[in-house]
Amino acid sequence: LVRLRARLSRSQNALGKGLLTLLSREHLDEDTWEEIEDILLTADVGVAPTQELVERLRERVKVLGTRTPEELRGLLREELLKLVGTDFDRTVNTESALDTPGIVMVVGVNGTGKTTTTGKLARVLVADRKSVVLGAADTFRAAAADQLQTWGERVGARTVRGPEAGDPASVAYDAVKEGIAEGADVVLIDTAGRLHTKTGLMDELGKVKRVVEKHAPLDEVLLVLDATTGQNGLVQARVFAEVVDITGIVLTKLDGTAKGGIVVAVQRELGVPVKLVGLGEGADDLAPFEPEAFVDALIG
Ligand code: GDP
């Protein structure tokens, strides 16, 4: 797995640098606090968390009186860490409590990076000496099954697929059955994410979930969100959370945006931690989300 801090620093550290520069001004007047707010809002931190953070910073800076750069950096680091949250369990749960394979379902809107994430995750698991079966239950997007199978061949995981435009639930069913028959360690199920209508999505994902759970409990449901889509991503997140119990978030394309604040916003929205982040299109570009490394990358 790639080192989060090193890979994030280029795109993210505008946020923290900007905050530090403003906090270092001799006179922190109202305009400065507004500029600080603007930086946070532009980074997609969200309104309520921004206000909370600014309030705490105001309070602490007042208590501090004269400020050394080191003190300011330390203070900002602490407050950003609180905002990102250090108490979440961010482990991706791929172990089953039963005698069945661990079952991970990957959901999200098409184009967010679901299939890529599923492939990258398979690679991590295989590197960890786990046997993995991939279920290509995104039967809607024509190329999705081919794309997943290519990933499977690359990383050494078998792909179970069905006919084009076939029933996603039956592919998921076959994948789990196959995983059980083979005694696989983990089954990763890639799903379709067309948000054409909410009921359509609910029916489809709900059915996949029910069918899988007839055989084995779902151990992890990962929602894939594209970090570059900002508030739109939050709307999507809400819709998916109504359909399935999301247990973790994968934030993709963090390499292409300075809007890292979406981590805070989406965790607030769903009450579920960001567990993994996507930092590029390559096989190695998936990293566990580590709050310390993330905040350090922000501050630079
Ligand atoms: P899906 O429709 O949700 O399955 O999306 P795909 O997995 O096909 O990904 C859509 C596009 O986003 C592809 O071109 C991927 O290579 C790209 N992609 C996925 N994850 C990342 C990421 O973390 N960073 C970048 N830069 N591109 C990504």
Side-chain angles (χ1 to χ4, degrees), residues 180-236:
I180 292 172
E182 276 185 18
D185 296 311
V186 187
V187 178
L188 300 180
I189 301 167
D190 186 21
T191 61
R194 48 201 161 124
L195 264 184
H196 57 319
T197 62
K198 201 162 100 182
T199 45
L201 178 83
M202 285 214 193
D203 288 351
E204 190 169 296
L205 274 188
K207 192 169 162 206
V208 171
K209 177 176 180 293
R210 279 196 308 280
V211 162
V212 168
E213 285 178 333
K214 273 191 197 149
H215 295 278
L218 274 174
D219 298 291
E220 186 80 63
V221 180
L222 294 174
L223 172 67
V224 178
L225 287 180
D226 177 341
T228 65
T229 57
Q231 294 301 311
N232 234 331
L234 289 188
V235 176
Q236 294 167 13

Side-chain angles (χ1 to χ4, degrees), residues 2-293:
V2 296
R3 306 232 339 261
L4 179 65
R5 185 179 173 187
R7 297 296 302 278
L8 272 178
S9 50
R10 240 171 315 140
S11 57
Q12 297 299 327
N13 77 42
L15 169 60
K17 283 240 171 73
L19 292 177
L20 264 185
T21 308
L22 289 171
L23 283 174
S24 307
R25 282 187 185 166
E26 205 166 325
H27 297 292
L28 289 171
D29 53 19
E30 285 309 311
D31 285 347
T32 307
W33 287 112
E34 255 173 50
E35 282 179 64
I36 290 176
E37 263 183 30
D38 285 344
I39 288 190
L40 291 165
L41 291 173
T42 307
D44 277 338
V45 171
V47 176
T50 293
Q51 281 168 352
E52 284 167 33
L53 178 64
V54 167
E55 206 161 294
R56 282 208 300 265
L57 287 174
R58 286 179 87 126
E59 192 73 14
R60 292 194 61 181
V61 166
K62 202 161 77 188
V63 172
L64 209 56
T66 45
R67 299 150 269 145
T68 67
E70 290 70 33
E71 279 172 327
L72 276 183
R73 169 181 292 265
L75 186 153
L76 183 63
R77 188 177 190 276
E78 268 177 47
E79 292 301 331
L80 285 174
L81 260 179
K82 266 190 229 160
L83 206 66
V84 171
T86 49
D87 297 338
F88 283 117
D89 178 5
R90 298 182 194 268
T91 334
V92 177
N93 187 17
T94 57
E95 309 268 338
S96 173
L98 307 177
D99 208 15
T100 47
I103 312 285
V104 180
M105 186 159 120
V106 184
V107 305
V109 171
N110 283 339
T112 52
K114 249 181 304 109
T115 305
T116 308
T117 298
T118 309
K120 289 173 179 172
L121 185 56
R123 178 179 158 103
V124 172
L125 292 167
V126 170
D128 204 20
R129 301 182 164 279
K130 295 205 156 77
S131 58
V132 177
V133 170
L134 298 173
D138 181 355
T139 55
F140 178 72
R141 186 162 66 86
D146 289 340
Q147 195 185 331
L148 191 65
Q149 188 163 359
T150 303
W151 271 103
E153 283 160 9
R154 228 160 113 188
V155 308
R158 228 168 79 62
T159 304
V160 173
R161 51 190 295 179
E164 208 169 287
D167 178 19
S170 92
V171 178
Y173 173 95
D174 289 343
V176 172
K177 217 170 58 181
E178 180 73 34
I180 292 172
E182 276 185 18
D185 296 311
V186 187
V187 178
L188 300 180
I189 301 167
D190 186 21
T191 61
R194 48 201 161 124
L195 264 184
H196 57 319
T197 62
K198 201 162 100 182
T199 45
L201 178 83
M202 285 214 193
D203 288 351
E204 190 169 296
L205 274 188
K207 192 169 162 206
V208 171
K209 177 176 180 293
R210 279 196 308 280
V211 162
V212 168
E213 285 178 333
K214 273 191 197 149
H215 295 278
L218 274 174
D219 298 291
E220 186 80 63
V221 180
L222 294 174
L223 172 67
V224 178
L225 287 180
D226 177 341
T228 65
T229 57
Q231 294 301 311
N232 234 331
L234 289 188
V235 176
Q236 294 167 13
R238 241 171 263 149
V239 174
F240 279 92
E242 282 176 38
V243 186
V244 278
D245 292 325
I246 311 287
T247 56
I249 300 155
V250 184
L251 210 53
T252 58
K253 310 187 193 181
L254 259 186
D255 51 307
T257 174
K259 294 175 176 267
I262 196 72
V263 168
V264 174
V266 72
Q267 290 185 157
R268 287 263 173 139
E269 179 69 38
L270 299 185
V272 164
V274 172
K275 293 188 168 178
L276 297 166
V277 293
L279 300 166
E281 299 186 79
D284 290 326
D285 297 332
L286 185 71
F289 181 74
E290 296 157 345
E292 282 86 2

